[in-house]
Amino acid sequence: MGPARCLALGGLLALAGLLEGRLVREQEAGFGECDRFFYAGTPPAGLAAAAHVKICQRSEGAERFATLYSTRDRIPVYSAFRAARPAPLGAAEQRWLVEPQIDDPNSSLEEVMDEADAISSVNNLGSKQALHADYLGSDYQTGQLYPFSLSSDPDTATFTLTNAAPMTPSFLKRWYVNLNSLMDRALTPQCGDGEELYIITGAVPSDLKVKDKVAIPEFVWLAACCAVPGGGWAMGFVKHTQDREVIEDVMVKELEKLLPFKPQLFQNNCGESEQDTEKMKKILEMVNQVQDEERRVDSAGDSGTLSSTRSTRSTLLPPEAPGEKSSLLGKLLGFTATPFIKLCQLIYFLAVRILKYLVYFLWYVTKQVTHGLESCLYRLGSTTISYFLAIGEELASIPWKVLKVMVRITRAILRILCCLLKVVCRIVGIPVRVLVDVATFPVYTIGAVPIVCRDIATGLGGIISLFFDTAFGTMGGLFKVIFNVGKQIGYKITFDNPGEL
């Protein structure tokens, strides 16, 4: 029975969140019931895109992991799951499945199904998601971001093509070995019982595509967040898809800068203020061992040695075809020659191993000595340069500082002199004014007496003159009136009695 999904199309569909097994658009809040696979129930922020759909991967009626799938690149952006659990016994049936409602939103099929069965029942199959047929005839295999070896799912939930990206066989093998080694030796042991360990594995697409459809990853990455109270931590890992590339450890913030859209993978950086640095150091020590083992394999050119770093989990490698039955003569010859062959193989193996480990030891000693010398020379050079730069800055600043001090001293002296002059002027200015006013008062008073007397005499003379002018004018006027009246009367008598006159 295939895994069910939680599939819902964005805010335009009224059925969003009502049906289990539906896809959810990136613009929506979360993955529904699959939010528990993320730290604090919060998916990575900043990955909103029209071509991204959220998938709650289900199997046997239970949620197994969450996937953000890119319909443009036809590979997952990431898959998120909780800590690794013991894998089911036996080999899983590699039955690659497709999600009907990615290509046909109107499909009533709510569970994943075989590609062969979907051809006749799903419209536009393969228009937005990769198919197993896209990998056939190419140099790439379907590589799971969340491998079956880390899953406790007894079914095949991880074998959906929405959880797979194109990988070369050699890179796929090394990727699975890296995942198993990191989980078993570095991450899970430093996070209590592993119940609070949140894992996100993703792929960054390149410009290359398989059959012009499925994007080939430029690199794959892993981010881990341990949410144990008082002892949590967060780590990131990157592995480029080129051959001989060793997995690299990075801080989560540095990993976020390498990813498209610069997302925030864990809320509050997985409780950054309460992280346990001691556990992170132990993790880095184990990671260094895994990296050294991978480098030794690369230098020796023996890919078979990688199996020494694997856990007991299955790595999903294809089983070898059984050989034909040997004949009786072949068995007899093999039984006779086997001890000698085994002895020769043992001697050869011991010689090769001794020589190999001797070379490894010399290489390790040389590496440590070289790193020590480089570190010492670097620190010595940095210290010397910093010392001379500091001395140069101080010497260059001395004339400027002296000039500033002289200017400030001069300004202070001028201010003092100005204040003294103001005080003296104020002290001297008050008595001089008083003395001048007192000295000039008698002069002004005595000099004003004649002027006042003259003004009084002038006023009296004017009054007397005005009196006489008034009296004489009044008398003259009376006399003139009387004269004129008498004159008129005399003329009248003369004209009336001329004989008498």
Side-chain angles (χ1 to χ4, degrees):
M1 179 178 178
R5 299 291 162 77
C6 196
L7 178 60
L9 297 175
L12 299 178
L13 295 179
L15 299 178
L18 299 178
L19 297 175
E20 293 184 350
R22 296 284 181 179
L23 290 177
V24 185
R25 292 285 181 189
E26 168 67 15
Q27 290 84 346
E28 293 185 359
F31 288 76
E33 295 178 350
C34 283
D35 282 345
R36 65 186 183 86
F37 296 110
F38 300 96
Y39 170 72
T42 305
L47 289 172
H52 291 175
V53 292
K54 293 178 178 179
I55 306 173
C56 184
Q57 310 278 14
R58 297 173 58 88
S59 174
E60 298 293 335
E63 301 81 22
R64 302 300 179 180
F65 63 102
T67 298
L68 180 65
Y69 188 75
S70 172
T71 57
R72 179 189 60 190
D73 300 316
R74 303 190 186 189
I75 61 173
V77 179
Y78 64 76
S79 287
F81 53 95
R82 297 287 284 270
R85 302 174 180 85
L89 298 177
E93 180 186 358
Q94 297 191 18
R95 190 165 58 98
W96 292 102
L97 310 172
V98 295
E99 177 62 65
Q101 296 195 15
I102 290 182
D103 295 323
D104 186 6
N106 298 321
S107 175
S108 60
L109 301 172
E110 298 180 7
E111 296 184 357
V112 292
M113 59 189 307
D114 289 337
E115 182 180 331
D117 298 334
I119 293 176
S120 59
S121 57
V122 179
N123 297 326
N124 303 318
L125 183 64
S127 61
K128 294 183 179 180
Q129 66 177 311
L131 304 177
H132 187 58
D134 296 331
Y135 291 83
L136 297 178
S138 69
D139 296 330
Y140 294 90
Q141 295 181 353
T142 48
Q144 298 172 334
L145 291 188
Y146 176 29
F148 175 77
S149 59
L150 299 181
S151 171
S152 62
D153 182 17
D155 209 334
T156 55
T158 61
F159 284 96
T160 172
L161 287 166
T162 55
N163 182 44
M167 300 181 187
T168 60
S170 60
F171 177 80
L172 178 61
K173 181 178 180 180
R174 293 165 68 107
W175 171 239
Y176 286 165
V177 171
N178 287 149
L179 286 178
N180 291 328
S181 298
L182 290 174
M183 295 299 299
D184 289 343
R185 300 165 59 183
L187 303 182
T188 304
Q190 299 299 328
C191 192
D193 56 0
E195 290 297 325
E196 297 299 324
L197 181 57
Y198 299 86
I199 305 295
I200 303 177
T201 55
V204 175
S206 66
D207 296 331
L208 302 177
K209 293 186 177 182
V210 177
K211 296 184 178 180
D212 250 357
K213 290 184 178 180
V214 187
I216 300 172
E218 180 181 352
F219 63 87
V220 292
W221 54 272
L222 181 148
C225 168
C226 178
V228 175
W233 47 264
M235 290 290 296
F237 302 91
V238 175
K239 187 173 181 65
H240 292 270
T241 54
Q242 291 86 357
D243 290 338
R244 306 296 181 184
E245 286 290 337
V246 178
I247 192 167
E248 305 173 11
D249 55 276
V250 295
M251 301 303 294
V252 173
K253 288 186 177 180
E254 297 299 324
L255 174 59
E256 292 172 347
K257 295 178 181 179
L258 297 176
L259 302 180
F261 304 107
K262 306 296 185 295
Q264 183 181 16
L265 297 178
F266 300 113
Q267 186 182 34
N268 194 25
N269 197 24
C270 189
E272 183 177 12
S273 59
E274 299 179 358
Q275 291 182 0
D276 190 340
T277 56
E278 292 299 325
K279 288 186 178 180
M280 296 178 68
K281 290 180 181 178
K282 293 179 181 179
I283 292 173
L284 290 176
E285 291 175 0
M286 298 306 300
V287 172
N288 289 334
Q289 293 181 14
V290 174
Q291 292 171 340
D292 290 338
E293 291 172 359
E294 196 170 3
R295 291 190 186 97
R296 286 198 295 268
V297 171
D298 291 339
S299 61
D302 182 10
S303 60
T305 312
L306 278 171
S307 60
S308 65
T309 63
R310 292 189 200 174
S311 66
T312 57
R313 299 187 180 98
S314 167
T315 54
L316 301 178
L317 297 178
E320 297 180 357
E324 299 179 354
K325 295 183 178 180
S326 303
S327 63
L328 180 61
L329 180 61
K331 290 183 179 180
L332 181 61
L333 291 175
F335 179 77
T336 305
T338 296
F340 297 100
I341 294 174
K342 293 295 183 181
L343 180 60
C344 293
Q345 288 180 346
L346 178 62
I347 295 173
Y348 174 76
F349 177 79
L350 291 175
V352 170
R353 287 291 177 179
I354 292 172
L355 181 60
K356 182 182 293 186
Y357 284 113
L358 180 61
V359 172
Y360 289 163
F361 176 75
L362 294 176
W363 174 80
Y364 178 77
V365 172
T366 304
K367 179 182 176 182
Q368 295 298 322
V369 172
T370 303
H371 286 177
L373 291 175
E374 289 179 354
S375 178
C376 291
L377 292 175
Y378 175 77
R379 292 178 181 177
L380 179 61
S382 300
T383 305
T384 304
I385 292 173
S386 301
Y387 178 74
F388 281 110
L389 286 175
I391 291 177
E393 290 177 358
E394 291 297 329
L395 291 176
S397 64
I398 287 176
W400 172 246
K401 291 180 179 179
V402 171
L403 180 62
K404 288 172 66 177
V405 171
M406 295 297 296
V407 170
R408 290 178 180 178
I409 292 174
T410 304
R411 289 176 60 188
I413 293 173
L414 291 176
R415 287 181 179 178
I416 293 172
L417 293 176
C418 183
C419 292
L420 290 176
L421 289 175
K422 288 182 179 179
V423 171
V424 171
C425 290
R426 289 181 180 180
I427 293 173
V428 174
I430 295 174
V432 169
R433 289 179 183 176
V434 173
L435 292 176
V436 169
D437 292 340
V438 171
T440 56
F441 178 75
V443 176
Y444 289 144
T445 303
I446 296 172
V449 171
I451 297 173
V452 172
C453 293
R454 186 189 62 186
D455 293 339
I456 292 172
T458 302
L460 293 175
I463 292 171
I464 294 171
S465 176
L466 179 61
F467 176 75
F468 283 111
D469 289 339
T470 302
F472 287 123
T474 301
M475 291 179 65
L478 290 174
F479 284 127
K480 191 174 182 179
V481 169
I482 293 170
F483 177 76
N484 289 329
V485 170
K487 184 177 179 181
Q488 290 292 334
I489 293 173
Y491 277 113
K492 186 176 180 182
I493 295 172
T494 302
F495 285 109
D496 291 339
N497 300 304
E500 293 178 2
L501 187 54

PDB file of all heavy atoms in Angstrom, residues 282-293:
ATOM      1  N   LYS A 282      32.439  18.026  20.096  1.00  0.00           N
ATOM      2  CA  LYS A 282      32.491  16.568  19.946  1.00  0.00           C
ATOM      3  C   LYS A 282      31.958  16.143  18.576  1.00  0.00           C
ATOM      4  O   LYS A 282      32.493  15.221  17.950  1.00  0.00           O
ATOM      5  CB  LYS A 282      31.679  15.922  21.061  1.00  0.00           C
ATOM      6  CG  LYS A 282      32.282  16.115  22.454  1.00  0.00           C
ATOM      7  CD  LYS A 282      31.416  15.465  23.512  1.00  0.00           C
ATOM      8  CE  LYS A 282      32.008  15.682  24.919  1.00  0.00           C
ATOM      9  NZ  LYS A 282      31.154  15.064  25.972  1.00  0.00           N
ATOM     10  N   ILE A 283      30.911  16.822  18.125  1.00  0.00           N
ATOM     11  CA  ILE A 283      30.378  16.508  16.798  1.00  0.00           C
ATOM     12  C   ILE A 283      31.426  16.785  15.723  1.00  0.00           C
ATOM     13  O   ILE A 283      31.636  15.978  14.808  1.00  0.00           O
ATOM     14  CB  ILE A 283      29.097  17.327  16.540  1.00  0.00           C
ATOM     15  CG1 ILE A 283      27.979  16.857  17.475  1.00  0.00           C
ATOM     16  CG2 ILE A 283      28.660  17.204  15.086  1.00  0.00           C
ATOM     17  CD1 ILE A 283      26.737  17.716  17.404  1.00  0.00           C
ATOM     18  N   LEU A 284      32.099  17.928  15.836  1.00  0.00           N
ATOM     19  CA  LEU A 284      33.114  18.283  14.837  1.00  0.00           C
ATOM     20  C   LEU A 284      34.278  17.296  14.852  1.00  0.00           C
ATOM     21  O   LEU A 284      34.873  17.009  13.805  1.00  0.00           O
ATOM     22  CB  LEU A 284      33.613  19.704  15.092  1.00  0.00           C
ATOM     23  CG  LEU A 284      32.608  20.820  14.802  1.00  0.00           C
ATOM     24  CD1 LEU A 284      33.184  22.176  15.173  1.00  0.00           C
ATOM     25  CD2 LEU A 284      32.212  20.815  13.333  1.00  0.00           C
ATOM     26  N   GLU A 285      34.631  16.761  16.027  1.00  0.00           N
ATOM     27  CA  GLU A 285      35.687  15.757  16.093  1.00  0.00           C
ATOM     28  C   GLU A 285      35.288  14.508  15.315  1.00  0.00           C
ATOM     29  O   GLU A 285      36.094  13.955  14.539  1.00  0.00           O
ATOM     30  CB  GLU A 285      35.977  15.406  17.553  1.00  0.00           C
ATOM     31  CG  GLU A 285      36.640  16.543  18.341  1.00  0.00           C
ATOM     32  CD  GLU A 285      36.806  16.188  19.813  1.00  0.00           C
ATOM     33  OE1 GLU A 285      36.402  15.067  20.194  1.00  0.00           O
ATOM     34  OE2 GLU A 285      37.334  17.026  20.567  1.00  0.00           O
ATOM     35  N   MET A 286      34.050  14.058  15.494  1.00  0.00           N
ATOM     36  CA  MET A 286      33.595  12.885  14.754  1.00  0.00           C
ATOM     37  C   MET A 286      33.474  13.182  13.258  1.00  0.00           C
ATOM     38  O   MET A 286      33.793  12.333  12.418  1.00  0.00           O
ATOM     39  CB  MET A 286      32.246  12.418  15.297  1.00  0.00           C
ATOM     40  CG  MET A 286      32.280  11.978  16.756  1.00  0.00           C
ATOM     41  SD  MET A 286      33.548  10.716  17.075  1.00  0.00           S
ATOM     42  CE  MET A 286      33.008   9.409  15.977  1.00  0.00           C
ATOM     43  N   VAL A 287      33.035  14.393  12.925  1.00  0.00           N
ATOM     44  CA  VAL A 287      32.950  14.766  11.514  1.00  0.00           C
ATOM     45  C   VAL A 287      34.339  14.770  10.875  1.00  0.00           C
ATOM     46  O   VAL A 287      34.508  14.329   9.729  1.00  0.00           O
ATOM     47  CB  VAL A 287      32.271  16.140  11.374  1.00  0.00           C
ATOM     48  CG1 VAL A 287      32.347  16.643   9.933  1.00  0.00           C
ATOM     49  CG2 VAL A 287      30.820  16.066  11.807  1.00  0.00           C
ATOM     50  N   ASN A 288      35.320  15.254  11.601  1.00  0.00           N
ATOM     51  CA  ASN A 288      36.689  15.241  11.076  1.00  0.00           C
ATOM     52  C   ASN A 288      37.156  13.816  10.811  1.00  0.00           C
ATOM     53  O   ASN A 288      37.872  13.555   9.824  1.00  0.00           O
ATOM     54  CB  ASN A 288      37.632  15.929  12.057  1.00  0.00           C
ATOM     55  CG  ASN A 288      37.416  17.431  12.099  1.00  0.00           C
ATOM     56  OD1 ASN A 288      36.943  18.028  11.136  1.00  0.00           O
ATOM     57  ND2 ASN A 288      37.762  18.061  13.215  1.00  0.00           N
ATOM     58  N   GLN A 289      36.774  12.880  11.670  1.00  0.00           N
ATOM     59  CA  GLN A 289      37.139  11.481  11.436  1.00  0.00           C
ATOM     60  C   GLN A 289      36.478  10.951  10.162  1.00  0.00           C
ATOM     61  O   GLN A 289      37.122  10.273   9.348  1.00  0.00           O
ATOM     62  CB  GLN A 289      36.732  10.622  12.636  1.00  0.00           C
ATOM     63  CG  GLN A 289      37.510  10.927  13.911  1.00  0.00           C
ATOM     64  CD  GLN A 289      37.091  10.022  15.058  1.00  0.00           C
ATOM     65  OE1 GLN A 289      36.426   9.017  14.862  1.00  0.00           O
ATOM     66  NE2 GLN A 289      37.494  10.388  16.269  1.00  0.00           N
ATOM     67  N   VAL A 290      35.213  11.280   9.979  1.00  0.00           N
ATOM     68  CA  VAL A 290      34.520  10.852   8.757  1.00  0.00           C
ATOM     69  C   VAL A 290      35.178  11.464   7.522  1.00  0.00           C
ATOM     70  O   VAL A 290      35.381  10.794   6.501  1.00  0.00           O
ATOM     71  CB  VAL A 290      33.026  11.243   8.833  1.00  0.00           C
ATOM     72  CG1 VAL A 290      32.320  10.951   7.506  1.00  0.00           C
ATOM     73  CG2 VAL A 290      32.331  10.506   9.968  1.00  0.00           C
ATOM     74  N   GLN A 291      35.552  12.740   7.616  1.00  0.00           N
ATOM     75  CA  GLN A 291      36.202  13.401   6.482  1.00  0.00           C
ATOM     76  C   GLN A 291      37.569  12.786   6.195  1.00  0.00           C
ATOM     77  O   GLN A 291      37.931  12.568   5.024  1.00  0.00           O
ATOM     78  CB  GLN A 291      36.347  14.891   6.774  1.00  0.00           C
ATOM     79  CG  GLN A 291      35.017  15.638   6.830  1.00  0.00           C
ATOM     80  CD  GLN A 291      35.167  17.056   7.340  1.00  0.00           C
ATOM     81  OE1 GLN A 291      36.160  17.393   7.993  1.00  0.00           O
ATOM     82  NE2 GLN A 291      34.181  17.897   7.049  1.00  0.00           N
ATOM     83  N   ASP A 292      38.336  12.500   7.247  1.00  0.00           N
ATOM     84  CA  ASP A 292      39.655  11.883   7.054  1.00  0.00           C
ATOM     85  C   ASP A 292      39.521  10.508   6.413  1.00  0.00           C
ATOM     86  O   ASP A 292      40.323  10.140   5.532  1.00  0.00           O
ATOM     87  CB  ASP A 292      40.387  11.779   8.388  1.00  0.00           C
ATOM     88  CG  ASP A 292      40.813  13.143   8.922  1.00  0.00           C
ATOM     89  OD1 ASP A 292      40.911  14.081   8.094  1.00  0.00           O
ATOM     90  OD2 ASP A 292      41.048  13.271  10.136  1.00  0.00           O
ATOM     91  N   GLU A 293      38.527   9.730   6.840  1.00  0.00           N
ATOM     92  CA  GLU A 293      38.322   8.424   6.227  1.00  0.00           C
ATOM     93  C   GLU A 293      37.983   8.556   4.750  1.00  0.00           C
ATOM     94  O   GLU A 293      38.483   7.801   3.908  1.00  0.00           O
ATOM     95  CB  GLU A 293      37.198   7.685   6.961  1.00  0.00           C
ATOM     96  CG  GLU A 293      37.577   7.255   8.376  1.00  0.00           C
ATOM     97  CD  GLU A 293      36.387   6.701   9.134  1.00  0.00           C
ATOM     98  OE1 GLU A 293      35.274   6.690   8.548  1.00  0.00           O
ATOM     99  OE2 GLU A 293      36.555   6.292  10.292  1.00  0.00           O
TER     100      GLU A 293
END
